[in-house]
Amino acid sequence: MLRAVLLATLAAAAAAAGDGVTSPRYMATCYYGTWAVYRPGLGKFDIEDFNPYLCTHGIYGFAGLDPNTNQIKSLDPWNDLYDNYGKGGFIRFTNLKKLNPNFKAILAIGGWNEGSEKYSSMAADASKRATFIQSCVQFLKTYNFDGLDMDWEYPAERGGQPIDKTDYALLIKELKTAFEPEGLLLSAAVGPGKTTIDESYDLDIMAQYLDIFNVMAYDYHGAFDPFTGHVAPLYLSPQDLEPGHEAYQYFSVNFTVNYYIEGGVPPHKIAMGIPLYGRGFTLADRNQHGLYAPMSGGMPACPYTRTAGVCGFNEICVYLDEGGWTSVRDPDQKAIYSYKDLLWVGYDDLESINLKTQYIKDMDLGGSMVWSVETDDFRGLCGFGTTNPLMNAIWTSLNGDIPQPTPGPEPTGQPTDTPATTEPPAPTAPPSHICKNPGLNPDPDRTCSPVFYACVWNGDHWEVTQEECANGTVFDATASTCIWSYESDECDTAGHRGLRA
Ligand SMILES: *[C@@H]1O[C@H](CO)[C@@H](O)[C@H](O)[C@H]1NC(C)=O
Ligand SMILES: *[C@@H]1O[C@H](CO)[C@@H](O)[C@H](O)[C@H]1NC(C)=O
């Protein structure tokens, strides 16, 4: 394929340029939510759209936990594996290291959709932990990953037990002990909220054994609240401290980062999360458009992410380009939001990101994290003069020039528009009641259902694994992922549920 030729060329160039590369001063960890491969049109993001020069660590989200065997497993074998004419996402992702030898490929396990209960019962039992850890070492080596990112959301919450806090610390310690001799990295995605940090994490122990804390410093406010608020304010607004707003008094990036440091996490292990998406609202009254303005629901779904209340920066920037928006930089929160008629959306732009990277430097943190690469303006459609303008800004501000492969010689003898090799055609798969296509399929019998199926056609019959979205979320056929029931057009729900209990 053309891509294969380009990749081979770049790889050769990277290998030639390999020596004498100074490592970047700051980490830039980057999550990739692989279900973006199911997005339509210009929203579709596949592994070859991932630029490994803008990230020190790329994190592939997500693998899951098999509750019967306590082993790590692929949640979407068709997309992740090569078996049965699958797309081989794991190997294609770790092959990004051939482009940039300094790039580390990490596999994340868990995430919001996997819930907490399975992890709670695995972590509670020494022999189950041992089985899990052994399976992870094996799995990471099979697919050439450099490490694991634990995304248990969250110990002691969402169906977990109070003892999870102790068990999770033990799991982290045992994972690291097994990883060390193998040269594998261990990181974790950790929550932003004070309650979660208090209930879920034994920071003393985690700080000893984790290489990186990917701090999810976002989702402080959203359509799960009754009023407008910014997804990721750097600081508090005085309004957050007014009577009646007690629930929001700790909801800033600055609070979260300081709380981890006070809890014993060395600043250099912290990768501070920056959202490449916004959270939006439909205002109840077009004349009330500040913070804490009444709202009637989430902002309508955007064309690619297709989830009410959340839009990628690549979608927001297109909207803004259409004009008619009023943008406000909140002087206290150091955050930007924009409104137009009844729409209101908070997000990060180049200016607010510069304040955040400056903060990372001032606080002497390890670096940045982004959720997630597939919603930057990765096609360069918004007139920033570059693709990935937000990730570019983060890298440049933290580490200076973006490393580039020195261009290698043009491949000869192959017109570039002709496939270099032909792959065998995938066997035709007749749709079944459950499996209409390889990959993830919704519950065929029920809309607004948490059940979905991972399908792989093995040439003879469908291999089907039933999966279930975490409590409160449903598998939305349009979004091809688990989303809050109130965010799904398939569900007829009036109320809103908070992210935090
Ligand atoms: C699922 O959510 C409902 C409603 O919030 C709650 O009553 C129930 O206990 C939850 N179940 C689990 C296993 O967390
Ligand atoms: C940042 O957080 C620290 C610790 O919570 C606090 O002392 C400081 O005042 C905060 N900075 C701002 C500008 O709010």
Side-chain angles (χ1 to χ4, degrees), residues 53 61 76 94 125 160 183 185 189 191 208 239 327 364 419 428 451 470 477 482 501:
Y53 296 98
D76 184 354
T94 56
D125 180 307
L185 294 168
Q208 280 179 60
Q239 285 180 267
S327 292
D364 213 10
T428 321
V451 171
C482 302

Tab-separated table of all heavy atoms in Angstrom, residues 53 61 76 94 125 160 183 185 189 191 208 239 327 364 419 428 451 470 477 482 501:
chain	number	residue	atom	x	y	z
A	53	TYR	N	5.837	12.113	16.403
A	53	TYR	CA	6.830	13.134	16.725
A	53	TYR	C	6.277	14.187	17.679
A	53	TYR	O	7.007	15.037	18.165
A	53	TYR	CB	7.339	13.804	15.446
A	53	TYR	CG	8.071	12.828	14.558
A	53	TYR	CD1	7.434	12.220	13.486
A	53	TYR	CD2	9.396	12.482	14.825
A	53	TYR	CE1	8.089	11.297	12.689
A	53	TYR	CE2	10.068	11.566	14.036
A	53	TYR	CZ	9.409	10.971	12.969
A	53	TYR	OH	10.063	10.057	12.186
A	61	GLY	N	-5.868	3.206	23.676
A	61	GLY	CA	-6.998	2.933	24.565
A	61	GLY	C	-8.120	2.216	23.827
A	61	GLY	O	-8.551	2.670	22.788
A	76	ASP	N	-11.698	-5.271	21.146
A	76	ASP	CA	-12.188	-5.206	19.767
A	76	ASP	C	-11.198	-5.964	18.883
A	76	ASP	O	-10.372	-5.361	18.199
A	76	ASP	CB	-12.314	-3.734	19.321
A	76	ASP	CG	-12.922	-3.596	17.930
A	76	ASP	OD1	-13.137	-4.628	17.251
A	76	ASP	OD2	-13.173	-2.447	17.509
A	94	THR	N	2.425	-0.092	17.610
A	94	THR	CA	3.798	-0.193	18.116
A	94	THR	C	4.815	-0.015	16.981
A	94	THR	O	5.956	0.340	17.222
A	94	THR	CB	4.036	-1.514	18.882
A	94	THR	OG1	3.719	-2.627	18.041
A	94	THR	CG2	3.156	-1.590	20.124
A	125	ASP	N	-7.476	-10.441	45.246
A	125	ASP	CA	-7.035	-11.825	45.425
A	125	ASP	C	-5.608	-11.985	44.880
A	125	ASP	O	-5.358	-11.726	43.701
A	125	ASP	CB	-8.023	-12.726	44.660
A	125	ASP	CG	-7.695	-14.192	44.748
A	125	ASP	OD1	-6.540	-14.586	44.432
A	125	ASP	OD2	-8.603	-14.954	45.105
A	160	GLY	N	-17.034	-0.606	43.265
A	160	GLY	CA	-15.866	-1.171	43.945
A	160	GLY	C	-16.066	-1.199	45.457
A	160	GLY	O	-17.151	-0.885	45.961
A	183	GLY	N	12.002	-4.360	31.574
A	183	GLY	CA	12.165	-3.032	30.991
A	183	GLY	C	10.855	-2.394	30.571
A	183	GLY	O	10.826	-1.532	29.694
A	185	LEU	N	7.421	-0.101	31.172
A	185	LEU	CA	6.973	1.063	31.936
A	185	LEU	C	5.608	0.798	32.547
A	185	LEU	O	4.813	0.038	31.998
A	185	LEU	CB	6.845	2.288	31.019
A	185	LEU	CG	8.141	2.828	30.405
A	185	LEU	CD1	7.801	3.843	29.311
A	185	LEU	CD2	8.992	3.469	31.499
A	189	ALA	N	-3.699	6.257	34.669
A	189	ALA	CA	-4.557	7.427	34.505
A	189	ALA	C	-5.245	7.635	35.845
A	189	ALA	O	-5.848	6.705	36.378
A	189	ALA	CB	-5.587	7.174	33.423
A	191	GLY	N	-7.683	10.185	38.516
A	191	GLY	CA	-8.803	11.110	38.445
A	191	GLY	C	-8.498	12.496	38.984
A	191	GLY	O	-7.526	12.692	39.715
A	208	GLN	N	5.868	5.487	44.629
A	208	GLN	CA	7.109	4.705	44.573
A	208	GLN	C	7.202	3.863	43.310
A	208	GLN	O	8.286	3.610	42.809
A	208	GLN	CB	7.166	3.739	45.763
A	208	GLN	CG	7.600	4.347	47.079
A	208	GLN	CD	7.584	3.272	48.165
A	208	GLN	OE1	8.276	2.266	48.067
A	208	GLN	NE2	6.771	3.486	49.184
A	239	GLN	N	-16.757	32.532	41.721
A	239	GLN	CA	-18.105	31.945	41.745
A	239	GLN	C	-18.102	30.500	42.240
A	239	GLN	O	-19.104	30.015	42.746
A	239	GLN	CB	-18.725	31.986	40.339
A	239	GLN	CG	-19.189	33.362	39.924
A	239	GLN	CD	-19.777	33.324	38.527
A	239	GLN	OE1	-19.082	33.568	37.549
A	239	GLN	NE2	-21.052	32.995	38.417
A	327	SER	N	-16.618	35.030	22.226
A	327	SER	CA	-15.695	34.253	23.054
A	327	SER	C	-15.289	35.052	24.276
A	327	SER	O	-15.058	36.262	24.193
A	327	SER	CB	-14.450	33.863	22.256
A	327	SER	OG	-14.806	32.940	21.251
A	364	ASP	N	7.372	22.688	37.519
A	364	ASP	CA	8.399	21.676	37.321
A	364	ASP	C	7.807	20.270	37.239
A	364	ASP	O	8.346	19.307	37.802
A	364	ASP	CB	9.422	21.754	38.468
A	364	ASP	CG	10.818	21.381	37.980
A	364	ASP	OD1	10.992	21.269	36.745
A	364	ASP	OD2	11.696	21.171	38.827
A	419	PRO	N	-0.249	0.319	-5.366
A	419	PRO	CA	0.085	-0.443	-4.168
A	419	PRO	C	1.361	-1.242	-4.378
A	419	PRO	O	1.560	-1.850	-5.434
A	419	PRO	CB	-1.108	-1.387	-3.985
A	419	PRO	CG	-2.211	-0.789	-4.792
A	419	PRO	CD	-1.561	-0.024	-5.898
A	428	THR	N	-15.495	-12.822	2.502
A	428	THR	CA	-16.776	-12.142	2.644
A	428	THR	C	-17.505	-12.695	3.859
A	428	THR	O	-17.591	-13.900	4.035
A	428	THR	CB	-17.644	-12.381	1.399
A	428	THR	OG1	-16.781	-12.338	0.265
A	428	THR	CG2	-18.710	-11.336	1.274
A	451	VAL	N	-25.616	-3.452	26.259
A	451	VAL	CA	-24.969	-4.633	25.675
A	451	VAL	C	-24.458	-4.310	24.275
A	451	VAL	O	-25.119	-3.622	23.506
A	451	VAL	CB	-25.987	-5.794	25.614
A	451	VAL	CG1	-25.438	-6.959	24.815
A	451	VAL	CG2	-26.360	-6.222	27.031
A	470	ALA	N	-20.417	0.143	31.137
A	470	ALA	CA	-20.485	0.351	32.584
A	470	ALA	C	-21.834	0.956	32.974
A	470	ALA	O	-22.545	1.537	32.142
A	470	ALA	CB	-19.346	1.253	33.034
A	477	ALA	N	-25.152	3.165	18.934
A	477	ALA	CA	-24.759	2.623	17.625
A	477	ALA	C	-24.102	3.698	16.761
A	477	ALA	O	-23.155	3.421	16.022
A	477	ALA	CB	-25.978	2.044	16.920
A	482	CYS	N	-19.502	3.345	24.230
A	482	CYS	CA	-20.393	3.527	25.378
A	482	CYS	C	-20.449	5.006	25.724
A	482	CYS	O	-19.409	5.657	25.847
A	482	CYS	CB	-19.868	2.763	26.585
A	482	CYS	SG	-19.682	0.993	26.307
A	501	ALA	N	-20.330	10.683	42.408
A	501	ALA	CA	-21.420	10.386	43.345
A	501	ALA	C	-21.555	11.530	44.346
A	501	ALA	O	-20.602	12.218	44.627
A	501	ALA	CB	-21.143	9.091	44.069
